[in-house]
């Protein structure tokens, strides 16, 4: 079952571009990178697919040099059935983290322009500095994640008109009717439980139920842990696994700030920060940095040793919850498990998939704390993740106080309808994926 993805349109445009460069698709394991390239390959007369993890025999193709001719000759020598038709062939170099030397050849492929080339890999991020240095100026990039809620709606059969209608309600501040609230609220809960991993979503669509999806999620988590064991050496292997295993545990605490001291006895920030960066580079987690102060600009305005950590796919977080929380969520439809940690992860994922960096604020010796921030052309916008439309003391303080001149409006995502009062806009959770489009035209 092919699931329509946003990268599909990007790849068609890339193929049609007269001056395209070799493309590197980055993303975590099983987010759909290879499947998307296979879907594109139907537009070519010839498709050459080389997986350096599974087909180790191809790890010698650069031994005679990095020119296009030498590489094509070596590939065809190893496998004479592969056809290379100039101007009509797509070459996929997959799992290039296992053979980063191939990146040096991208200059030749780019300059000659005879073949379209895409590189990909499930653990590409951890080796990307080396790969990038070997192909600077001769490649383009695309960062891929698991399905977002819009892509999930596509899989359920909803099209542009439905998405446009949701956005129109947001822009015009018009509450949804109860039918829409119930329908999309239910779809969003399903999405949060499933997550956006294509195999899991496809299973749900084909079976019309959640049958087997939890087992698939837990299998994927196990694969992530195996990747850590495979690609990390020495003591860092244990440290990275400890950090990964402690994410759901620490999200269950009232204080969501990730504390290295809770990971292991005597653990210190300086010994573990590289482990957290590794998990981020591998596409497994999102890091949310603590701002020095809620002011613009955001970049550079944060404390390096204070951060929250979120799973990049909420479905994998759900699969990591304890059995009691699993039952509460699935049976009682209660997303307020883990003291609101699930809500925060949902919003962090939605922001990340829209291209936003993640930032929060916690004022020292004060109860003032804000979940997330994004910016518009004019201002800084604080975001709140809530179960209900209850009081948001910190959000109100940031909006009303003269001490924060960059802030004049806040947004709260709730299990409730669209509304606006006292500078705070409320949106249902199922609208979070439209935030960037909404803010692009917002006059605040």
């Amino acid at each position: 079952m092919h699931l329509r993805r946003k990268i599909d349109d990007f790849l068609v445009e890339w193929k049609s571009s007269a001056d395209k460069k070799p493309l590197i698709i980055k993303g975590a394991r099983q987010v759909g990178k290879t499947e998307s390239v296979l879907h594109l390959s139907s537009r070519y007369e010839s498709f050459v697919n080389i997986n350096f993890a599974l087909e180790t025999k191809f790890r010698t193709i650069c031994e005679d040099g990095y020119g296009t001719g030498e590489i094509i000759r070596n590939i065809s020598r190893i496998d004479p059935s592969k056809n290379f038709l100039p101007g009509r062939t797509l070459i996929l170099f997959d799992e290039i983290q296992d053979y980063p030397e191939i990146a040096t050849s991208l200059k030749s492929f780019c300059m000659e322009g005879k073949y379209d080339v895409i590189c990909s890999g499930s653990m590409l991020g951890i080796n990307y500095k080396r790969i990038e240095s070997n192909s600077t100026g001769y490649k383009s990039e695309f960062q891929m994640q698991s399905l977002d809620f819009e892509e999930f709606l596509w899989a359920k059969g909803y099209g542009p008109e439905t998405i446009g209608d949701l956005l129109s309600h947001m822009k015009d501040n018009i509450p949804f009717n109860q039918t829409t609230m119930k329908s999309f609220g239910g779809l969003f809960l399903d999405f949060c439980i499933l997550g956006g991993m294509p195999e899991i979503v496809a299973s749900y669509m084909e079976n019309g139920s959640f049958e087997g999806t939890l087992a698939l999620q837990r299998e994927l988590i196990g694969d992530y842990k195996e990747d850590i064991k495979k690609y990390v050496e020495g003591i860092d292997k244990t440290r990275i696994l400890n950090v990964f295993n402690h994410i759901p545990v620490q999200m269950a605490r009232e204080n969501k700030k990730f504390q290295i001291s809770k990971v292991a006895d005597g653990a210190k920030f300086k010994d573990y920060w590289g482990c957290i960066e590794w998990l981020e580079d591998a596409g497994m987690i999102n890091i949310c940095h603590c701002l020095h102060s809620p002011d613009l600009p955001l970049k550079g305005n944060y404390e390096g040793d204070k951060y929250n950590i979120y799973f990049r796919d909420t479905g994998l977080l759900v699969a990591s919850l304890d059995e009691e929380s699993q039952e509460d969520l699935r049976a009682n439809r209660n997303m307020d498990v883990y003291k609101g940690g699930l809500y925060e992860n949902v919003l962090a994922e939605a922001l990340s998939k829209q291209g936003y960096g993640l930032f929060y604020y916690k004022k020292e010796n004060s109860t003032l704390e804000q979940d997330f921030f994004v910016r518009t052309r004019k201002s800084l916008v604080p975001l709140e993740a809530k179960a209900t439309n209850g009081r948001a003391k910190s959000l109100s303080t940031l909006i009303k106080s003269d001490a924060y001149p960059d802030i004049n409006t806040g947004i709260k995502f709730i299990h409730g309808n669209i509304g606006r009062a006292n500078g705070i806009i409320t949106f249902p959770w199922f609208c979070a994926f439209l935030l960037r489009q909404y803010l692009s035209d917002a006059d605040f």
Side-chain angles (χ1 to χ4, degrees), residues 105-168:
S105 72
L106 297 186
K107 178 178 179 179
S108 177
F109 279 106
C110 181
M111 293 180 67
E112 292 193 21
K114 290 183 179 180
Y115 309 100
D116 290 356
V117 176
I118 296 178
C119 298
S120 186
S122 58
M123 300 296 291
L124 229 173
I126 60 173
N127 288 308
Y128 197 65
K129 289 181 180 178
R130 176 182 175 187
I131 292 168
E132 187 174 40
S133 66
N134 290 342
S135 57
T136 302
Y138 297 98
K139 51 96 174 95
S140 52
E141 302 173 6
F142 189 96
Q143 179 69 50
M144 194 172 182
Q145 298 193 52
S146 61
L147 280 79
D148 64 13
F149 187 54
E150 183 172 12
E151 292 170 317
F152 182 78
L153 290 178
W154 291 347
K156 292 291 290 184
Y158 294 93
E161 289 186 4
T162 301
I163 309 301
D165 184 61
L166 297 178
L167 183 59
S168 294

Side-chain angles (χ1 to χ4, degrees), residues 377-398:
R377 294 185 300 272
K378 300 178 181 179
S379 63
L380 184 64
V381 182
L383 307 176
E384 187 92 3
K386 287 288 187 182
T388 61
N389 194 15
R391 189 182 180 192
K393 183 179 178 181
S394 293
L395 194 57
S396 297
T397 299
L398 290 169

Side-chain angles (χ1 to χ4, degrees), residues 259-424:
Q259 294 179 287
I260 287 296
S261 60
K262 304 292 184 182
V263 172
D265 291 338
K268 297 180 181 179
F269 172 80
K270 65 181 180 66
D271 296 324
Y272 275 81
W273 177 244
C275 302
I276 295 167
E277 284 187 314
W278 190 97
L279 288 169
E280 183 184 40
D281 289 342
M284 299 179 188
I285 65 169
N286 285 317
I287 299 175
C288 183
H289 297 280
C290 182
L291 294 172
H292 287 296
S293 59
D295 304 300
L296 293 173
L298 290 173
K299 289 186 177 180
N301 177 27
Y302 61 84
E303 303 180 51
D305 59 348
K306 294 181 180 179
Y307 47 88
N308 293 330
I309 298 178
Y310 301 103
F311 272 68
R312 195 162 287 191
D313 184 89
T314 300
L316 297 186
L317 170 63
V318 169
S320 303
L321 300 181
D322 58 75
E323 296 301 326
E324 292 78 8
S325 298
Q326 285 269 347
E327 183 175 352
D328 193 16
L329 173 61
R330 294 175 183 273
N332 303 322
R333 305 171 71 86
N334 177 24
M335 284 187 59
D336 200 21
V337 296
Y338 272 44
K339 297 181 175 65
L342 184 57
Y343 285 113
E344 289 186 25
N345 203 98
V346 166
L347 188 50
E349 178 186 349
L351 294 174
S352 173
K353 288 179 175 178
Q354 292 172 77
Y356 286 113
L358 301 181
F359 303 94
Y360 76 101
Y361 179 65
K362 174 68 171 74
K363 188 174 182 179
E364 293 292 339
N365 304 317
S366 170
T367 59
L368 181 61
E369 184 171 6
Q370 192 57 52
D371 295 335
F372 300 100
F373 292 85
V374 295
R375 67 166 301 167
T376 66
R377 294 185 300 272
K378 300 178 181 179
S379 63
L380 184 64
V381 182
L383 307 176
E384 187 92 3
K386 287 288 187 182
T388 61
N389 194 15
R391 189 182 180 192
K393 183 179 178 181
S394 293
L395 194 57
S396 297
T397 299
L398 290 169
I399 293 168
K400 295 175 181 178
S401 176
D402 293 335
Y404 311 108
D406 292 326
I407 299 173
N408 58 66
T409 304
I411 295 176
K412 185 165 53 169
F413 290 96
I414 62 171
H415 278 299
N417 219 321
I418 292 175
R420 185 166 190 163
N422 303 317
I424 299 176

